């Protein structure tokens, strides 16, 4: 799960074009608190299954945002990890909340 | 033609600082062959289960590594299917035996995981997910999503998850090979640190070193435990590709095939070693294997704590070895260890029928075996 090389990054971009900007609904979400080295600086982060129009997709949530099943999200481009001096700054698809279900505070 | 388990061996499971991949293999291979009372030259082929020796130990080509332990260099192959590597290696051996290619073979599973950091281990294990479409996931994270869905659909509680961990740690107390010999309370499990919500540290199986081996034969033998059924199921590697998050269809398929071949029903199983890599995985397994209805998986886990030996009427005992949770989970060895443990248990107890359930990844691969106590074949 290492951060992508430039060629891997280019290939991944072909997939992003299909999903970028799509709006969907959170099916399930967790908060990952222990992660591999490349992602450790971003912990804790959300990881979600999102229902889009015709398929489901698994993505990280933006920053430290938390999600609930039923939340409306949009797929956006965000940094995937900590950039270094010797690698490209890796971006990838993440989910950003654009509307939430009403949760009973009690 | 029937397959008998005529020899088995398991190393200690745990953080084995004095052992490496090579010494684990050097210990378990002759031990299994001695247990079978065979000359090593009688082993016609070897099937090696290993998930990530290339990552953990910088050692690939494990089939040749094991074959060279024999003077006659038997044909050997390595099988990899994430945490189901062991079950798949046994399946490959069974196919070769039933095809008549060999009569007596060795299956060995091994993993040396503790020579790298926990973060690196997390990375290597995460490679069993779809690294392209599940980027950012971890194994606890994927099972946490399954747990969230189970809680939402069946009202599964924190205590029900914790009950699995409490039971399996208690049962490991009598297994000398187990990684942990420490009892925990529901409160301790429920208060352990979060890893991926709602799963906590004591919901997770450990990082382990270990090896296990079985010797299988189609020759007629008396008294040795028999493999009377086996099945293999597959589902989407990605959780997003699954039709349900509250069942593992691969397990259901594997169980149906194994039980049909064995001509048994779930009610005939007395003891089961199920793949409890996380506590939620055991709750999924007991339902997918047909022992309970899905909404009863959590309640039966709690109910077992009220019994001295964690048994429930009309249900099999589950994970008396301590399971992956407390016996340990050296991933390539686990599926082989389940059979080795059950073969020994069948030979030494009054249990007549047992089941082994081995899962790869977040449930994309499953292998189920049904074993029966020995009789002349």
């Amino acid at each position: 799960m290492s951060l992508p090389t430039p060629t891997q990054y280019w290939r991944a971009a072909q997939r992003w074009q299909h999903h970028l900007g799509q709006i969907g609904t959170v099916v399930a979400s967790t908060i990952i608190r222990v992660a591999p080295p490349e992602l450790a600086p971003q912990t804790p982060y959300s990881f979600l299954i999102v229902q889009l129009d015709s398929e489901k997709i698994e993505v990280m949530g933006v920053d430290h945002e938390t999600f609930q099943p039923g939340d409306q999200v949009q797929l956006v481009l965000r940094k995937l990890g900590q950039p270094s001096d010797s690698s490209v700054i890796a971006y990838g698809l993440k989910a950003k909340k654009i509307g939430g279900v009403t949760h009973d505070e009690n | 033609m029937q397959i008998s388990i005529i020899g088995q061996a398991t190393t200690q499971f745990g953080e084995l600082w004095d052992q490496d991949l090579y010494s684990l293999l050097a210990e378990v291979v002759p031990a299994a062959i001695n247990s079978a009372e065979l000359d090593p030259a009688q082993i016609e082929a070897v099937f090696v289960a290993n998930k990530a020796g290339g990552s953990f130990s910088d050692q690939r080509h494990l089939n040749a590594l094991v074959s060279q332990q024999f003077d006659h260099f038997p044909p050997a192959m390595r099988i990899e299917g994430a945490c189901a590597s062991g079950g798949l290696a046994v399946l490959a051996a069974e196919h070769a035996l039933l095809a008549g290619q060999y009569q007596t073979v060795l299956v060995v599973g091994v993993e040396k995981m503790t020579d790298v950091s926990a973060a690196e281990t997390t990375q290597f294990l995460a490679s069993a997910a779809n690294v392209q479409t599940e980027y950012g996931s971890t194994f606890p994270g994927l099972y946490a999503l399954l747990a969230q869905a189970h809680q939402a659909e069946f009202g599964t509680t924190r205590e029900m998850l914790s009950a699995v961990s409490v039971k399996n740690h208690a049962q490991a107390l009598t297994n000398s090979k187990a990684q942990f010999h420490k009892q925990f309370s529901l409160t301790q499990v429920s208060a352990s640190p979060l890893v991926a919500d709602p799963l906590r540290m004591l919901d997770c199986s450990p990082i382990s070193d270990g090896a296990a081996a079985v010797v299988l034969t189609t020759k007629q033998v008396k008294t040795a435990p028999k493999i009377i059924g086996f099945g293999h199921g597959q589902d989407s590697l990605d959780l997003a590709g699954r039709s349900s998050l509250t069942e593992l269809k691969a397990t259901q398929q594997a169980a149906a095939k194994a039980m049909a071949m064995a001509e048994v029903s779930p009610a005939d199983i007395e003891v089961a070693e199920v793949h409890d890599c996380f506590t939620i995985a055991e709750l999924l397994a007991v339902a997918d294997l047909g022992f309970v209805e899905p909404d009863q998986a959590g309640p039966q886990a709690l109910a077992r704590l009220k019994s001295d030996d964690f048994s429930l009427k009309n249900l099999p005992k589950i994970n008396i070895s301590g399971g992956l949770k407390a016996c340990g989970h050296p991933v390539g060895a686990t599926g082989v260890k389940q059979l080795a443990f059950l073969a020994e248990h069948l030979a030494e107890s009054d249990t007549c029928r047992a089941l082994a359930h081995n899962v790869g990844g977040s449930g994309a691969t499953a292998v189920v075996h049904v074993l029966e106590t020995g009789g002349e074949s």
Side-chain angles (χ1 to χ4, degrees):
Chain A
M1 195 196 276
S2 54
L3 290 172
T5 63
T7 50
Q8 290 168 330
Y9 189 68
W10 183 87
R11 291 195 295 268
Q14 312 308 304
R15 296 192 304 278
W16 299 339
Q17 289 175 11
H18 174 64
H19 289 118
L20 191 60
Q22 284 200 36
I23 290 171
T25 306
V26 174
V27 174
S29 73
T30 183
I31 299 170
I32 291 178
R33 298 167 190 274
V34 180
E38 290 84 0
L39 294 167
Q42 299 193 49
T43 56
Y45 62 86
S46 292
F47 190 77
L48 326 168
I49 299 177
V50 177
Q51 177 70 58
L52 302 174
D53 277 348
S54 58
E55 62 181 322
K56 292 199 286 282
I57 186 171
E58 293 169 63
V59 287
M60 297 165 67
V62 299
D63 295 336
H64 299 306
E65 201 161 20
T66 58
F67 300 83
Q68 299 277 347
D71 283 345
Q72 291 285 300
V73 295
Q74 184 167 31
L75 298 179
V76 296
L77 273 185
R78 289 288 187 276
K79 280 181 191 169
L80 284 180
Q82 291 292 103
S84 75
D85 293 340
S86 58
S87 65
V88 294
I89 299 173
Y91 282 76
L93 284 180
K94 289 188 178 181
K96 178 181 171 59
K97 200 182 319 190
I98 56 172
V101 294
T102 303
H103 302 293
D104 189 347
E105 293 298 323
N106 298 318
Chain B
M1 196 177 338
Q2 271 194 317
I3 299 171
S4 300
I5 304 175
I6 58 170
Q8 68 279 325
T10 302
T11 67
Q12 182 67 43
F13 279 11
E15 292 185 44
L16 308 177
W17 303 109
D18 56 340
Q19 293 260 48
D20 57 24
L21 192 69
Y22 313 93
S23 65
L24 287 167
L25 288 167
E27 176 184 336
V28 82
V29 169
I33 296 169
N34 287 341
S35 161
E37 299 180 350
L38 292 181
D39 184 293
Q42 293 175 272
I43 298 295
E44 298 168 65
V46 180
F47 296 83
V48 183
N50 176 259
K51 179 189 183 295
S55 301
F56 285 120
S57 306
D58 205 21
Q59 177 66 63
R60 293 181 175 83
H61 210 173
L62 294 192
N63 56 319
L65 189 70
V66 179
S67 181
Q68 74 173 11
Q69 286 188 245
F70 296 80
D71 290 338
H72 66 298
F73 300 99
M77 66 174 73
R78 176 201 167 192
I79 312 288
E80 191 275 317
C83 306
S85 299
L88 290 174
V90 177
L91 272 183
E94 289 161 342
H95 293 159
L97 288 167
L98 294 179
Q101 188 175 10
Y102 308 115
Q103 284 189 294
T104 302
V105 302
L106 175 77
V107 185
V108 56
V110 64
E111 208 77 56
K112 172 67 191 178
M113 302 173 72
T114 64
D115 275 352
V116 299
S117 68
E120 287 173 295
T121 300
T122 304
Q123 181 173 355
F124 299 153
L125 294 179
S127 69
N130 187 332
V131 296
Q132 192 174 72
T133 59
E134 295 184 302
Y135 184 86
S137 70
T138 62
F139 260 92
L142 295 176
Y143 274 92
L145 292 171
L146 298 176
Q148 296 268 8
H150 209 271
Q151 290 180 318
E153 184 160 344
F154 301 122
T156 304
T157 64
R158 175 64 254 169
E159 273 204 326
M160 292 170 184
L161 294 169
S162 298
V164 173
S165 183
V166 170
K167 168 179 67 68
N168 292 350
H169 273 282
Q171 293 188 130
L173 293 173
T174 55
N175 180 358
S176 63
K177 303 288 176 61
Q179 181 162 354
F180 297 118
H181 295 104
K182 182 175 173 60
Q183 205 152 1
F184 290 98
S185 66
L186 285 174
T187 305
Q188 286 173 307
V189 177
S190 300
S192 62
L194 277 164
V195 175
D197 307 25
L199 297 181
R200 296 172 179 271
M201 187 180 73
L202 288 174
D203 288 304
C204 307
S205 57
I207 296 165
S208 313
D209 305 325
V214 290
V215 179
L216 308 180
T217 189
T218 51
K219 293 179 180 174
Q220 287 197 349
V221 288
K222 291 180 180 177
T223 70
K226 307 280 184 284
I227 295 172
I228 59 170
F230 53 80
H232 176 189
Q234 294 286 164
D235 199 356
S236 163
L237 179 56
D238 309 8
L239 283 187
R242 309 264 176 93
S243 57
S244 169
L245 295 177
T246 54
E247 58 190 0
L248 298 186
K249 290 192 182 299
T251 293
Q252 295 172 357
Q253 293 165 16
K257 290 174 190 169
M259 291 192 201
M261 184 177 179
E263 298 180 344
V264 300
S265 72
D268 297 316
I269 304 298
E270 296 160 74
V271 169
E273 287 290 310
V274 309
H275 197 95
D276 60 324
C277 50
F278 300 94
T279 52
I280 181 61
E282 181 169 313
L283 299 188
L284 291 166
V286 294
D288 291 330
L289 292 166
F291 299 142
V292 297
E293 292 299 318
D295 64 344
Q296 291 304 304
Q300 66 84 37
L302 265 184
R304 284 180 188 274
L305 298 190
K306 293 176 182 163
S307 161
D308 286 342
D309 64 353
F310 306 106
S311 62
L312 286 176
K313 193 177 177 185
N314 300 325
L315 289 178
K317 292 182 177 175
I318 304 289
N319 284 332
I320 58 174
S321 74
L324 285 60
K325 175 68 201 80
C327 182
H329 184 29
V331 287
T334 288
V336 184
K337 165 255 169 181
Q338 290 176 324
L339 260 68
F341 177 86
L342 289 174
E344 199 169 312
H345 176 73
L346 285 169
E348 294 175 352
S349 71
D350 57 3
T351 300
C352 294
R353 210 165 278 131
L355 178 146
H357 164 244
N358 189 202
V359 170
S362 59
T365 302
V367 180
V368 170
H369 280 91
V370 181
L371 278 60
E372 194 169 68
T373 194
E376 194 166 358
S377 62

